[in-house]
Amino acid sequence: MRRLAMKALFTALNLSRAEGKRIDWDRRILIFSTGVTIALITLYVWAKATSRWE
């Protein structure tokens, strides 16, 4: 019975650790995509202000 309890405990710990890594990955993608969007908007505004696009 002790082995089963230890296996269940280690499985639960590994699953929670994997979920934590997934959250970090999602956060990285969110930050990167937000940065790209802001950069594109800034580039568009700069190009309009300098009359590069008519």
Side-chain angles (χ1 to χ4, degrees):
M1 196 65 179
R2 285 185 179 175
R3 282 187 178 176
L4 181 62
M6 291 300 286
K7 284 183 181 181
L9 177 64
F10 287 135
T11 302
L13 289 174
N14 285 336
L15 286 176
S16 65
R17 189 180 312 160
E19 288 176 5
K21 289 181 181 178
R22 184 174 184 179
I23 291 171
D24 291 340
W25 181 248
D26 290 344
R27 185 174 293 152
R28 287 180 187 174
I29 291 172
L30 180 65
I31 291 170
F32 178 75
S33 63
T34 303
V36 168
T37 301
I38 291 171
L40 288 173
I41 291 170
T42 304
L43 181 64
Y44 176 78
V45 170
W46 175 75
K48 282 289 192 180
T50 57
S51 299
R52 294 191 185 272
W53 295 337
E54 295 183 22

